[in-house]
Amino acid sequence: MKTEYQDDAEYPKSLDNNDPLGHFRQRFFLKKNYIYMCGNSLGLATKDAEECVLEVMEQWKNEGIKIWTVDDNKYYLYSKYLSKLMAPIVGADADEICIFGGTTINIHQGISTFFKPTKDKYKILVDDLNFPTDRYAVDSQVRLHGYEPKDAVKVVKSNGKFMDEDEIINAMTDDVAMVFLPTVYYRTAQVLDMVKITKAAKERGILIGWDLCHGVGAIEINLKEVDADFAIWCTYKYLNGGPGSSAALYINRRYHTRLPGLAGWYGNKIETQFLLRQEFDHQQDANGWQIGTPNVLSMASLEGALRVINEAGIPNMRKKSLHITGYLMFLIEKKLSDYGFTVGNLREDSKRGGHVCLEHDEGYRISIALKSRGIAPDFRDPNVIRLTPTALYTSYEEVYKMVEILLDIVKTESYKAISKNRNYVV
Ligand SMILES: Cc1ncc(COP(=O)(O)O)c(C=O)c1O
């Protein structure tokens, strides 16, 4: 069913007044006259996150080394504690998830655990649109096995913008040992059908891992139904875990007895970890894939953030996200299409993630102009302004105001005064 929107200034106010998730805005640190559209990159801080970080500081100040054992070993077993909060967000069991390290590190952990090339089956299948860190990790993993990426990394070509799922499946030839793909593309927000692609891989005896970075917290994910072999994701985007907050790794329970590719003492069984033996005694659940001491401060902010997400519920968040991004696309088409703007993402709900991909030939300079007008977007080459009205802290009125500002920037051509020289972080 097509949603009907209106383009007047009163309409967003009525949407905000009737927004069942509207009260969650109070849980975030929002700045007056600053419209935050960058939750696809770094989610905003919650008051809950601050509370949890301050609690860790108090424990550290008061207890020193005893911080590890307060609250029934909460911080010593922090991954286990947080996995319970993470499980409903990705539809997995808590013991299939561990929270540790960083996204790229966890890609290495997943691939090094599962990539066991043989003479005839030694390739990793990837695509040419994924975030580059995934590719760098894949290339280096095949090199560790003595292969050259140009031979052992099989790249499915996109049309430059979108990926065709059937082409991915057709590329699953006998020589492919593993597939590694993103669930939502970082530039265009295209969603891949994880169930269909995973099923195809399994039918061909190929292992499969997913990068959920741009999906988690934005779309509904049911890892039980997907039944992939492993998955990794960051926690600082739609989950609002904080800059560089610890990442996550899912290991399907059918592999819990397998040894991790990268072992460390935190993957040892809890019961024998402090016996400090020379032999690794593997913890046989996802926590056995941890490597070293947990980054407690960057896990504390995640604890607070996950509490808020679980209160709101992913299905409710997805519903609002689809509606508010739909409203943004409607306004772009209604008010901005005469000024060189186009919506660059796919339209079907099942095929688009949490951000709107606004394209313009002058996208870079317009994104800088937006920043100078109190909006936080980001820009991705060659021409994409990513805009993310989030379910929990963006109002419909902010979306309306942002489109009015965009209109003003292009009508007055104020962006033309901005240098084309690029900043390091865009
Ligand atoms: C798909 C994807 N994977 C990984 C990363 C980043 O990895 P890391 O958290 O290790 O910097 C990003 C960052 O935006 C990403 O979009």
Side-chain angles (χ1 to χ4, degrees):
M1 197 181 72
K2 202 170 176 310
T3 311
E4 300 295 336
Y5 298 106
Q6 295 162 29
D7 65 355
D8 61 281
E10 290 309 304
Y11 178 69
K13 294 180 189 160
S14 72
L15 290 176
D16 286 328
N17 289 336
N18 293 305
D19 177 3
L21 298 181
H23 61 282
F24 280 101
R25 268 171 76 79
Q26 298 157 14
R27 303 280 282 276
F28 288 83
F29 289 97
L30 294 164
K31 272 167 62 180
K32 224 169 173 254
N33 299 325
Y34 184 58
I35 301 178
Y36 196 78
M37 288 284 161
C38 227
N40 56 289
S41 190
L42 178 67
L44 280 183
T46 54
K47 295 176 183 168
D48 302 62
E50 181 182 57
E51 194 186 293
C52 292
V53 171
L54 291 177
E55 170 64 18
V56 168
M57 286 305 299
E58 273 312 295
Q59 296 290 0
W60 181 23
K61 274 157 52 183
N62 296 327
E63 306 293 342
I65 189 75
K66 284 192 292 174
I67 188 175
W68 296 116
T69 47
V70 295
D71 287 349
D72 212 10
N73 301 320
K74 174 176 172 181
Y75 298 114
Y76 171 52
L77 303 176
Y78 213 8
S79 165
K80 217 171 157 149
Y81 183 95
L82 294 180
S83 299
K84 290 192 189 123
L85 297 177
M86 189 66 86
I89 294 168
V90 292
D93 291 333
D95 69 348
E96 294 179 296
I97 299 167
C98 71
I99 309 292
F100 84 102
T103 325
T104 311
I105 294 165
N106 295 3
I107 296 174
H108 282 292
Q109 177 66 299
I111 296 178
S112 64
T113 300
F114 290 100
F115 182 51
K116 309 280 178 211
T118 60
K119 192 170 142 291
D120 299 321
K121 208 170 179 62
Y122 63 96
K123 295 190 178 174
I124 301 184
L125 186 69
V126 298
D127 64 85
D128 66 353
L129 290 179
N130 200 354
F131 191 74
T133 203
D134 295 40
R135 182 62 187 282
Y136 305 160
V138 167
D139 285 4
S140 68
Q141 285 291 330
V142 302
R143 276 194 205 99
L144 281 172
H145 285 272
Y147 296 98
E148 276 306 313
K150 61 178 181 319
D151 173 33
V153 178
K154 184 169 180 181
V155 185
V156 188
K157 294 259 180 295
S158 64
N159 66 1
K161 215 168 148 184
F162 299 113
M163 191 56 64
D164 182 328
E165 289 166 354
D166 292 328
E167 287 194 17
I168 294 173
I169 293 170
N170 290 339
M172 294 179 187
T173 44
D174 288 345
D175 50 1
V176 174
M178 173 181 281
V179 178
F180 189 63
L181 295 167
T183 175
V184 177
Y185 283 95
Y186 77 96
R187 200 186 315 247
T188 59
Q190 180 189 359
V191 176
L192 289 181
D193 185 336
M194 292 172 73
V195 172
K196 172 176 148 185
I197 293 171
T198 303
K199 184 166 173 284
K202 282 162 73 177
E203 282 166 0
R204 291 158 180 77
I206 299 172
L207 294 169
I208 181 160
W210 288 95
D211 178 333
L212 311 180
C213 282
H214 284 271
V216 68
I219 65 169
E220 291 184 63
I221 294 174
N222 186 338
L223 287 175
K224 279 251 163 285
E225 186 194 0
V226 173
D227 200 31
D229 300 297
F230 75 98
I232 57 93
W233 58 99
C234 67
T235 60
Y236 46 74
K237 299 180 189 295
Y238 294 93
L239 296 183
N240 315 312
S245 51
S246 290
L249 173 66
Y250 158 86
I251 302 283
N252 191 312
R253 67 171 57 264
R254 63 177 169 265
Y255 301 109
H256 285 181
T257 54
R258 180 182 279 228
L259 282 174
L262 309 173
W265 80 303
Y266 244 81
N268 199 91
K269 271 195 188 118
I270 299 158
E271 296 77 11
T272 57
Q273 184 179 355
F274 269 90
L275 298 180
L276 301 173
R277 294 175 177 145
Q278 291 299 316
E279 306 79 43
F280 180 58
D281 186 8
H282 182 216
Q283 170 77 28
Q284 295 192 351
D285 60 37
N287 283 300
W289 271 259
Q290 289 179 90
I291 298 176
T293 305
N295 304 315
V296 171
L297 281 164
S298 69
M299 293 164 91
S301 48
L302 177 61
E303 179 189 340
L306 292 182
R307 271 194 218 153
V308 179
I309 304 258
N310 280 317
E311 261 179 64
I314 295 288
N316 298 327
M317 288 168 61
R318 176 64 167 157
K319 191 169 167 204
K320 158 120 182 240
S321 163
L322 285 171
H323 191 259
I324 195 167
T325 48
Y327 176 54
L328 173 55
M329 292 190 289
F330 163 80
L331 289 180
I332 290 169
E333 276 175 353
K334 192 92 190 173
K335 297 181 181 242
L336 300 175
S337 55
D338 290 345
Y339 298 91
F341 285 106
T342 47
V343 171
N345 50 275
L346 297 170
R347 293 314 179 87
E348 306 122 89
D349 286 355
S350 65
K351 290 282 157 221
R352 61 188 185 91
H355 73 264
V356 170
C357 168
L358 178 65
E359 294 181 345
H360 193 285
D361 290 345
E362 282 286 0
Y364 172 68
R365 291 203 289 179
I366 292 171
S367 74
I368 302 299
L370 274 174
K371 287 181 190 178
S372 71
R373 299 282 299 268
I375 317 268
D378 68 14
F379 173 75
R380 292 294 175 262
D381 276 312
N383 61 348
V384 177
I385 302 172
R386 297 190 301 181
L387 298 170
T388 304
T390 63
L392 298 185
Y393 55 80
T394 312
S395 70
Y396 288 87
E397 203 175 358
E398 286 176 320
V399 172
Y400 182 86
K401 281 187 184 157
M402 177 183 66
V403 172
E404 291 299 302
I405 290 171
L406 271 166
L407 188 57
D408 186 64
I409 289 170
V410 282
K411 271 187 171 168
T412 59
E413 299 190 333
S414 61
Y415 65 88
K416 289 196 171 162
I418 294 167
S419 161
K420 288 188 177 179
N421 291 338
R422 300 274 294 271
N423 199 343
Y424 287 131
V425 181
V426 287

